[in-house]
Amino acid sequence: MNYTDGQLELKSLKLRRSVIKWIKHAGAGHTGGSLSCIDILNVLYNRILKVSPATFSSPDRDRYVQSKGHAVEALFVVLADAGFFDESDLETLCAYQSHYVGHPTRKVNGVEQNTGGLGHGLPICVGTALAGKMDKKDYRVFTLLGDGELAEGSNWEAAMSAAHYKLDNLTAVIDCNTLQIAGRTAEVMNSEPLVEKWEAFGWSVRRIDGHDYAALTEALQAPLEKGKPSMVIANTVKGKGVDFMEDVGKWHHGVPNDEEYERAMASFETQIGIKEGALS
Amino acid sequence: MYSAAAAEIAAEIGLAKGKANLEVFASTMEEMAASDRNVVAVVSDSRGSGKLAPFGKAYPDQLVEVGIAEQNLVGVSAGLASAGKKVFAVSPSCFLTARSLEQIKNDVAYSDNPVTLVGISSGVSYGALGTTHHSLHDFAALRAINNLIVVCPADNYEAEQSVRAAAALEKPVFIRFGKAPLYSLGKESEQAFEFGKARLIREGNDLAFIATGEAVIHALLAAEKLKRDEGLEARVLSVHSLKPFDSEAVLSAARECKAIVTVEEHMVNGGLGEACAATILEAGISACAFRRVGIPDEYTVTGSQADIFRHYGISMEGLAETAKALLSKAQ
């Protein structure tokens, strides 16, 4: 299905509502970072990735590996929306013997790799992109990193090798929400200037508004440059979509209390109603 | 590596001199790559030390160089494997199993990507280069990781068999190779090679040497010396698979022999000896005397692999003495 930007906006509202719903239900989760990357995942799964429940075992599918594994709630609600499993499965999120663990695992349909330790997604994707080049396949490989995650040295080992092997079938996105668990990324361990760093490592780089569907689509729909891996630095807001969570560090893994939950859900209902009205 | 007396006994019992396991690994890789373009070696500036330079020349499209970056080595290998490649990630065991331990745990074992991790110049193969280059922790670290087969071949036969078995298995495997030329332990045709099945090298019921890797030959020579000097018959088992572990072979030895000496090129903590001890105790066997021989928990002595082995009693003479002392205490 081809979604308009407006339809994607509506979908993101519903996905964010689901993130809050399941985190509240489980009593745990990474709220802020899941909300910041929803629009990126929404665009990837609904406009970019050539993958579906029917093609998930095809060797020709596009791959998405979520390196910032802690934002698993975002991935789960997007995969459920794309039909990889029934969203009601998330009733068991983080529960005893559930496959729906607090970080992505391949026991969940649609998940490519088990992640959660940071700095793992990019090296794996370099390998998968390299295999695609070796086998002359057309699939593309995507990964999502956090800006705090960039302090892990393995990312820079992988960055070097992706450029060395000219992996233009690889696109990495940084969910650059400028906050990590201990505070501002700039204060904990400054990773800027990101554009210059990635360019110096041999990547083609674009910095965009990570909540702008048109900009995300334009940056992700094709490799940015032939012969180079693509880096899309998506400026995002941690906690995006819930006014009292936006850009507030404590929501990194905060779970709303009953009052906060009701407030957030009521806000979503209002916004969804308005958006549905506008689209009808 | 061997004393004159040990070399003499090796000649007497007709042990054939073989190559280093690392060379067998490299030639087996070349043979497999010739008929399977999915066989890929990933190296971290280690193609020379892995004896893979000829492989790289013959099959340049099947060798991936990542530079001196072991974390990336394992992550890239996992990604290649997930896309259908039969990947051998080759790096000195000291770096591969310490620096990239989290990638081994998460990207290979937990994600079930069928990478064969090849730890080269393992144990104290690098001898006098010192502790930075020794891997005396790898059994302990990797035995504690779920969904990983841990293998340490004792001779060229076990080396080739383990490489071919790993390529066919499509599961995460770790194999450890040294670089010293090894004697062939014989009896290749009598026992099919299988991960998880120990190889009986010598029969005997007075005591058993349960050994792994490059230590096995010293156990066999010690068994021959004990026969000549004391009239004792020592069983020798090569436990090439630390995981899965052949509990049955260990328990048979514990039931049928008066003493067990375990021998490994690894720190005594967390290695073969502890695996045997746990197996025997959990089966309720307490009559069998038991001693671990390996590298003790101390600042490792300086020297060549042979010097270090001799220093810590991993030698024909040292193991024979240990066995005699243990038996005399047991009786």
Side-chain angles (χ1 to χ4, degrees):
Chain A
M1 170 167 182
N2 294 322
Y3 292 100
T4 63
D5 285 359
Q7 286 168 323
L8 284 187
E9 281 175 39
L10 175 61
K11 197 183 267 297
S12 276
L13 285 169
K14 292 180 177 176
L15 290 167
R16 287 194 166 93
R17 179 179 62 181
S18 288
V19 164
I20 298 298
K21 173 182 167 184
W22 295 118
I23 286 175
K24 177 66 177 166
H25 178 81
H30 286 85
T31 315
S34 286
L35 294 175
S36 66
C37 69
I38 277 288
D39 298 317
I40 299 164
L41 291 183
N42 190 359
V43 169
L44 275 172
Y45 274 89
N46 291 300
R47 277 188 177 162
I48 308 295
L49 292 173
K50 294 192 181 78
V51 66
S52 68
T55 61
F56 186 62
S57 57
S58 164
D60 298 320
R61 72 189 183 281
D62 286 349
R63 272 82 164 173
Y64 168 74
V65 174
Q66 187 158 307
S67 194
K68 51 170 290 181
H70 52 281
V72 71
E73 291 84 13
L75 178 62
F76 282 166
V77 299
V78 168
L79 287 176
D81 179 66
F84 284 91
F85 54 84
D86 195 309
E87 192 178 328
S88 65
D89 285 5
L90 297 176
E91 295 278 355
T92 67
L93 180 64
C94 292
Y96 175 60
Q97 292 191 324
S98 173
H99 290 162
Y100 298 89
V101 187
H103 289 91
T105 84
R106 296 173 75 179
K107 288 190 185 292
V108 173
N109 195 30
V111 174
E112 287 282 355
Q113 297 291 341
N114 299 6
T115 52
L118 295 172
H120 288 252
L122 195 54
I124 294 170
C125 288
V126 168
T128 309
L130 207 47
K133 291 285 185 190
M134 286 174 165
D135 293 340
K136 298 184 169 48
K137 288 191 176 292
D138 293 329
Y139 66 72
R140 296 177 68 199
V141 184
F142 296 80
T143 187
L144 180 69
L145 308 162
D147 54 340
E149 179 180 2
L150 297 177
E152 292 281 10
S154 50
N155 289 310
W156 302 99
E157 294 183 5
M160 214 183 292
S161 60
H164 181 84
Y165 286 106
K166 302 179 170 46
L167 299 178
D168 53 14
N169 54 349
L170 170 64
T171 297
V173 183
I174 297 172
D175 177 17
C176 194
N177 62 33
T178 74
L179 279 166
Q180 58 189 104
I181 198 164
R184 288 277 164 213
T185 302
E187 288 161 16
V188 177
M189 184 47 61
N190 185 24
S191 57
E192 296 287 357
L194 285 173
V195 171
E196 290 84 346
K197 277 199 178 92
W198 287 94
E199 280 178 350
F201 270 80
W203 289 55
S204 191
V205 186
R206 185 163 308 173
R207 189 158 205 158
I208 60 165
D209 176 350
H211 302 300
D212 179 329
Y213 302 97
L216 281 165
T217 305
E218 206 271 329
L220 296 171
Q221 64 191 357
L224 294 177
E225 193 175 338
K226 195 169 167 48
K228 286 184 175 182
S230 303
M231 170 53 72
V232 176
I233 301 164
N235 294 327
T236 58
V237 176
K238 199 156 187 165
K240 174 76 174 176
V242 180
D243 57 0
F244 57 89
M245 293 182 183
E246 286 193 356
D247 205 33
V248 178
K250 74 166 188 173
W251 291 104
H252 176 85
H253 54 180
V255 178
N257 63 28
D258 290 349
E259 188 197 328
E260 290 163 335
Y261 178 73
E262 293 306 330
R263 213 173 119 197
M265 294 314 264
S267 165
F268 280 125
E269 295 314 319
T270 306
Q271 292 179 72
I272 287 167
I274 293 168
K275 182 56 71 181
E276 282 177 338
L279 290 174
S280 62
Chain B
M1 180 57 89
Y2 308 99
S3 66
E8 206 171 293
I9 288 182
E12 267 178 45
I13 61 173
L15 289 182
K17 282 184 181 166
K19 298 183 246 181
N21 273 349
L22 200 47
E23 291 177 45
V24 173
F25 160 66
S27 57
T28 307
M29 285 291 284
E30 285 177 55
E31 283 172 33
M32 293 193 305
S35 59
D36 188 347
R37 54 182 289 279
N38 279 325
V39 170
V40 173
V42 187
V43 294
S44 52
D45 199 21
S46 49
R47 76 182 77 186
S49 45
K51 307 287 181 201
L52 288 169
F55 175 97
K57 283 208 172 93
Y59 308 101
D61 297 338
Q62 288 167 250
L63 183 118
V64 175
E65 175 66 76
V66 298
I68 305 168
E70 290 81 11
Q71 296 183 73
N72 198 37
L73 171 94
V74 177
V76 165
S77 296
L80 283 161
S82 77
K85 298 296 175 191
K86 291 178 185 170
V87 184
F88 290 76
V90 185
S91 187
S93 200
C94 51
F95 311 130
L96 178 69
T97 63
R99 194 166 200 130
S100 356
L101 185 60
E102 189 174 279
Q103 280 75 15
I104 292 174
K105 171 185 155 237
N106 293 351
D107 306 351
V108 176
Y110 182 39
S111 278
D112 197 26
N113 287 310
V115 175
T116 301
L117 302 148
V118 179
I120 59 176
S121 303
S122 62
V124 293
S125 292
Y126 280 128
L129 294 187
T131 294
T132 54
H133 283 60
H134 296 167
S135 61
L136 297 173
H137 62 277
D138 44 6
F139 296 161
L142 301 183
R143 281 180 66 224
I145 291 178
N146 171 247
N147 194 37
L148 183 62
I149 292 166
V150 180
V151 183
C152 182
D155 68 354
N156 295 173
Y157 166 74
E158 290 182 10
E160 179 175 350
Q161 292 294 312
S162 57
V163 170
R164 291 190 186 280
L169 192 62
E170 297 190 1
K171 293 296 289 178
V173 179
F174 167 77
I175 310 177
R176 182 198 214 243
F177 294 120
K179 57 181 189 169
L182 298 169
Y183 283 108
S184 165
L185 297 169
K187 293 191 178 179
E188 287 88 343
S189 57
E190 292 174 23
Q191 214 175 346
F193 181 92
E194 192 182 335
F195 290 146
K197 288 282 172 211
R199 179 173 166 217
L200 181 64
I201 304 295
R202 189 183 192 282
E203 293 186 24
N205 285 339
D206 289 318
L207 74 145
F209 288 109
I210 301 180
T212 188
E214 300 197 2
V216 176
I217 180 63
H218 299 283
L220 175 60
L221 293 171
E224 293 295 335
K225 181 175 167 57
L226 287 167
K227 181 182 181 181
R228 282 161 176 71
D229 295 354
E230 313 288 334
L232 294 168
E233 290 292 354
R235 183 178 306 188
V236 178
L237 285 174
S238 171
V239 181
H240 48 70
S241 297
L242 279 294
K243 201 157 76 86
F245 190 67
D246 191 346
S247 300
E248 278 311 306
V250 170
L251 290 177
S252 295
R255 290 193 182 104
E256 294 159 15
C257 305
K258 295 185 222 36
I260 285 177
V261 177
T262 64
V263 199
E264 59 196 308
E265 186 182 359
H266 187 274
M267 185 170 282
V268 289
N269 299 341
L272 171 69
E274 286 192 358
C276 290
T279 301
I280 294 166
L281 270 177
E282 284 187 347
I285 301 169
S286 55
C288 182
F290 187 87
R291 179 66 47 87
R292 292 174 298 161
V293 176
I295 311 298
D297 185 0
E298 67 177 38
Y299 193 102
T300 306
V301 71
T302 304
S304 66
Q305 183 191 33
D307 291 332
I308 295 170
F309 271 31
R310 202 168 44 246
H311 182 86
Y312 293 118
I314 306 172
S315 63
M316 178 181 81
E317 293 81 359
L319 291 172
E321 280 306 312
T322 298
K324 270 197 300 184
L326 186 63
L327 270 175
S328 69
K329 241 174 59 180
Q331 282 157 355

